[in-house]
Amino acid sequence: MAAVQELAERAKLDTIYIDTDTGADDETATGAESKPYKSLAFAFIRHGGTEGKQYQSRASTTGPVSADGDPAERLVWKEPAKSAVKKAQGALDAHKKKLLKQQQLAAQEEEKEKARLKTLEDAKKIIIKEDESLPKAVKITIGDKDVELGEADVRGTRVKVSGRIHRLRQQKQATFLTLVDGYGHLQCVLSGDLTKTYEAYLFAQGTSLTLYGEMRKVLAGQSAPDNRELHVDYYKIIGRSPSDIDAITNRVSAQQDQWDSQMLDNRHLVLRGDTASSVMKVRSAVEWAFAKAYRELKFTKISPPAFVQTQVEGGSTLFELDYYGEKTYLTQSSQLYLETGIPSLGNVYCIEKSFRAEKSLTRRHLSEYTHVEAELDFIDFEDLLDHLEEMISRVITTILDDKEIAGYIKELNPDFKPPTRPFKRMRYSDAIDWLNAQDPPILNEEGNPHVFGDDIAEAAERRMTDIINLPIFLTHFPVEIKAFYMKKDESDRRVTESVDVLMPGVGEIVGGSMRMEDYDELMEAYKREGISPKEYYWYTEQRKYGTSPHGGYGLGLERFIAWICKQHSVRTCCLYPRFMGRCKP
């Protein structure tokens, strides 16, 4: 109501007032003496210029005063200067041009919308049918490569293939689709009435459909996935995808970082993208390559429990839960259970989930991650290091021997090269010296030079690894900063026979050690760490009933993938990441 009154008040004004100092906000001013505008240009735009109007202006607080110094001179209304009127008229003319252009554009858009709606109505009348005279279509997936391709006068195999629209290019004479089905990409060409149906006008990224047609080689000088394309003669829509404001392209973007909050909220849609799906395929191949390598090395796979009542890596990172009235935790590691398998099964491994309640948001931490773990019996520390080098090298060789997986890695990480053997080996004490020898020195978390006993922080560790730019076996960490079960080095009881495997761009991907095999030494370790041995009886008794020198390790699969695929964060190396503050979708 107030707005209507203001409009009426403006309309009946013959004289419009402008106070460049105390004028009201131009949006709320009316031009009355009691509600002057702040700018002459805006007053002209509001009231249509000088026709039938006169304007009075002043600068009530900064304007000139009379010769005798009377400040009342500032309060006198005067006609605006000719230069100010000219400038205001220019602003009005520009405004009129802008309005005219907006009106023209709106009219054009209205005409386009009318034409679009008419086209859609007309398209509903076009009905396509499968030509019964054509050869029966052979059902394939996009990954089937042994389909005969047509060229020139030779017809190719007529096929039917189902998938989803990944890319879409609609032209006047033809529509080009890139179809995906999880097994590859296929270029498809539609022409004639196939492009004029109601369904064709509503094609959008994500739409699922079954296409029928002849598979042909692409013409010389052109390119397409696998150098082939489907010339479509019929199709069926299976499931439409929105093409309006809710389209996939408006929900996720290739320009956004996959690990940011919005993209993680829409992870189910992000996974349809080439990068995310490629990483998942590499992950699948890597997990299989580990299983293959373990089988070749005659390891037995076992499946330890996820509900536990013991700790492995410190109580502060345990997820606690009520298990039928008992205090229980989600496992941090399957290591202790793996150790119990070696007396009867020999060397063992598992690929299972582990859970760490670290309140950490670094790009290499997850609360739920896939843990590749193994325990080896009757070995020494050098045997353990040799085995780790062999495993990593075998896995890399296996995945690079697969042309499809090697192609994904090449796209994701063009500069990736298999690490050369032997891997660089560096003792913890040498790493401390190396950090301090840099110019300037690489400092610890407190901002001081590193000293023996420091737990080398992630940032320093990664910087060292990236500078050296080689895989590093960092060994012999101090007893105080490693887990209670790690065996001490007989030649230097200050340190453990332990190893972290560091990779450029990621940092630590493996942690391992020899395990204490002596019963009394293990009991003393419990005492030192303030751990009650009662719940660990089944673990401790491995030392009582025929102990043996043994060791093992845990490898974070997501970190391994991040290294191979050059991913900034481990969050993009699993299907749905779980970390502090995120447990959706």
Side-chain angles (χ1 to χ4, degrees):
M1 191 69 180
V4 174
Q5 289 176 344
E6 284 186 1
L7 285 172
E9 187 178 343
R10 289 187 189 120
K12 64 185 182 182
L13 287 175
D14 293 324
T15 302
I16 296 99
Y17 294 88
I18 301 96
D19 189 325
T20 57
D21 287 329
T22 63
D25 177 82
D26 282 335
E27 295 294 337
T28 59
T30 64
E33 188 172 0
S34 59
K35 280 188 178 180
Y37 291 105
K38 201 171 185 66
S39 73
L40 181 62
F42 195 85
F44 263 50
I45 290 170
R46 273 289 171 87
H47 294 272
T50 58
E51 187 175 348
K53 305 286 182 184
Q54 62 176 338
Y55 294 83
Q56 295 289 305
S57 177
R58 71 184 182 189
S60 60
T61 60
T62 60
V65 295
S66 60
D68 61 2
D70 184 4
E73 181 71 18
R74 293 196 182 106
L75 300 178
V76 176
W77 296 102
K78 298 179 180 179
E79 288 188 3
K82 289 183 179 179
S83 60
V85 171
K86 186 177 180 180
K87 188 175 180 181
Q89 185 63 46
L92 175 60
D93 293 342
H95 178 69
K96 287 179 178 179
K97 286 181 181 179
K98 183 179 178 182
L99 284 179
L100 180 60
K101 188 173 183 180
Q102 287 175 344
Q103 290 167 356
Q104 290 171 340
L105 288 173
Q108 290 172 6
E109 287 300 317
E110 187 178 352
E111 287 301 314
K112 282 183 182 179
E113 182 61 15
K114 286 179 180 178
R116 189 184 74 85
L117 293 175
K118 184 178 186 307
T119 299
L120 286 175
E121 282 301 313
D122 293 342
K124 290 178 180 178
K125 302 171 186 175
I126 299 175
I127 307 298
I128 59 172
K129 294 182 180 180
E130 185 176 6
D131 187 344
E132 298 295 338
S133 68
L134 293 173
K136 183 178 173 60
V138 177
K139 185 177 181 179
I140 67 166
T141 68
I142 295 174
D144 293 332
K145 302 295 195 297
D146 56 352
V147 178
E148 186 178 348
L149 303 180
E151 57 179 329
D153 297 330
V154 180
R155 293 190 65 83
T157 302
R158 185 169 184 263
V159 303
K160 69 173 180 178
V161 57
S162 299
R164 292 175 175 82
I165 296 175
H166 189 56
R167 295 188 187 91
L168 173 65
R169 184 159 49 95
Q170 292 172 309
Q171 297 182 341
K172 193 170 185 179
Q173 301 300 327
T175 295
F176 295 86
L177 305 178
T178 299
L179 198 71
V180 293
D181 65 351
Y183 300 99
H185 296 64
L186 178 63
Q187 181 167 292
C188 307
V189 184
L190 289 74
S191 58
D193 281 352
L194 296 179
T195 67
K196 299 172 184 176
T197 67
Y198 182 76
E199 289 81 3
Y201 283 113
L202 296 182
F203 280 162
Q205 184 176 331
T207 294
S208 61
L209 66 171
T210 298
L211 300 169
Y212 297 71
E214 180 190 346
M215 200 73 83
R216 297 182 190 173
K217 287 184 180 179
V218 296
L219 298 174
Q222 297 180 359
S223 63
D226 300 315
N227 200 36
R228 62 181 184 166
E229 61 187 10
L230 182 68
H231 286 251
V232 180
D233 58 56
Y234 178 64
Y235 60 81
K236 294 178 181 177
I237 300 295
I238 308 301
R240 285 182 183 154
S241 185
S243 58
D244 53 15
I245 194 170
D246 203 32
I248 288 178
T249 48
N250 292 327
R251 297 280 299 278
V252 297
S253 167
Q255 280 68 53
Q256 286 178 274
D257 294 328
Q258 287 190 25
W259 59 88
D260 79 11
S261 181
Q262 180 186 346
M263 295 289 269
L264 290 177
D265 286 345
N266 290 308
R267 180 71 175 162
H268 57 295
L269 299 178
V270 171
L271 288 167
R272 298 188 179 202
D274 286 336
T275 298
S277 61
S278 295
V279 172
M280 290 300 102
K281 287 177 180 178
V282 172
R283 178 190 170 109
S284 174
V286 167
E287 193 166 336
W288 177 82
F290 271 107
K292 176 177 179 286
Y294 283 126
R295 184 172 180 82
E296 291 169 349
L297 296 173
K298 300 189 184 307
F299 279 61
T300 300
K301 184 179 188 297
I302 60 177
S303 298
F307 293 141
V308 300
Q309 292 184 315
T310 53
Q311 66 186 55
V312 182
E313 299 293 341
S316 64
T317 67
L318 287 166
F319 280 109
E320 183 180 320
L321 64 149
D322 185 306
Y323 186 77
Y324 303 108
E326 290 187 85
K327 184 185 291 186
T328 307
Y329 312 99
L330 292 177
T331 182
Q332 302 163 311
S333 165
S334 297
Q335 175 212 316
L336 305 189
Y337 293 94
L338 286 170
E339 287 188 52
T340 68
I342 55 179
S344 59
L345 301 173
N347 296 343
V348 294
Y349 82 98
C350 72
I351 303 178
E352 302 282 353
K353 291 294 182 71
S354 286
F355 306 87
R356 301 280 175 91
E358 289 177 276
K359 293 183 177 180
S360 176
L361 290 173
T362 75
R363 56 192 174 114
R364 71 174 193 175
H365 281 95
L366 292 168
S367 298
E368 174 192 65
Y369 65 99
T370 301
H371 216 170
V372 180
E373 298 183 86
E375 291 295 317
L376 295 79
D377 203 8
F378 296 108
I379 61 167
D380 60 26
F381 189 48
E382 285 302 314
D383 293 332
L384 178 62
L385 299 183
D386 291 342
H387 164 80
L388 278 168
E389 190 173 287
E390 175 67 20
M391 277 298 298
I392 292 170
S393 299
R394 278 188 184 231
V395 168
I396 296 298
T397 297
T398 297
I399 61 175
L400 292 183
D401 282 346
D402 184 323
K403 290 183 179 180
E404 180 185 358
I405 300 303
Y408 293 135
I409 294 171
K410 183 70 175 175
E411 290 177 4
L412 294 163
N413 188 2
D415 299 324
F416 180 77
K417 292 181 177 60
T420 55
R421 301 173 70 176
F423 293 178
K424 182 177 180 61
R425 300 186 183 189
M426 176 187 285
R427 294 178 72 97
Y428 164 89
S429 56
D430 294 330
I432 295 293
D433 293 340
W434 186 94
L435 292 166
N436 291 333
Q438 300 311 295
D439 186 18
I442 298 173
L443 304 177
N444 64 18
E445 287 188 303
E446 285 73 40
N448 301 317
H450 283 84
V451 297
F452 187 90
D454 281 349
D455 190 355
I456 300 174
E458 176 191 351
E461 180 183 83
R462 288 187 59 163
R463 192 169 169 199
M464 178 181 73
T465 309
D466 290 348
I467 291 172
I468 295 174
N469 199 29
L470 292 168
I472 302 171
F473 282 176
L474 191 58
T475 66
H476 298 91
F477 290 85
V479 172
E480 291 76 18
I481 62 173
K482 283 297 180 180
F484 71 90
Y485 51 76
M486 293 189 179
K487 184 177 181 179
K488 294 178 182 177
D489 186 348
E490 292 297 333
S491 63
D492 184 353
R493 302 289 286 177
R494 299 178 307 155
V495 300
T496 54
E497 290 187 329
S498 54
V499 58
D500 283 356
V501 181
L502 313 178
M503 290 297 179
V506 180
E508 181 192 349
I509 64 169
V510 179
S513 76
M514 294 298 290
R515 317 310 192 187
M516 287 182 181
E517 72 223 45
D518 182 76
Y519 182 93
D520 293 333
E521 186 179 16
L522 183 57
M523 293 300 289
E524 183 59 35
Y526 291 141
K527 184 177 180 181
R528 183 185 72 239
E529 297 295 327
I531 297 172
S532 169
K534 181 181 177 182
E535 288 77 17
Y536 292 83
Y537 74 93
W538 50 274
Y539 176 70
T540 311
E541 287 184 357
Q542 302 302 310
R543 282 77 181 161
K544 181 177 179 180
Y545 294 95
T547 192
S548 61
H550 63 285
Y553 57 89
L555 176 146
L557 187 68
E558 288 81 10
R559 292 187 185 183
F560 194 85
I561 302 301
W563 165 53
I564 295 170
C565 296
K566 200 175 183 179
Q567 295 297 289
H568 175 79
S569 171
V570 293
R571 297 175 187 178
T572 60
C573 297
C574 54
L575 199 66
Y576 290 95
R578 297 291 184 254
F579 53 91
M580 186 174 69
R582 175 163 293 276
C583 196
K584 69 176 183 180

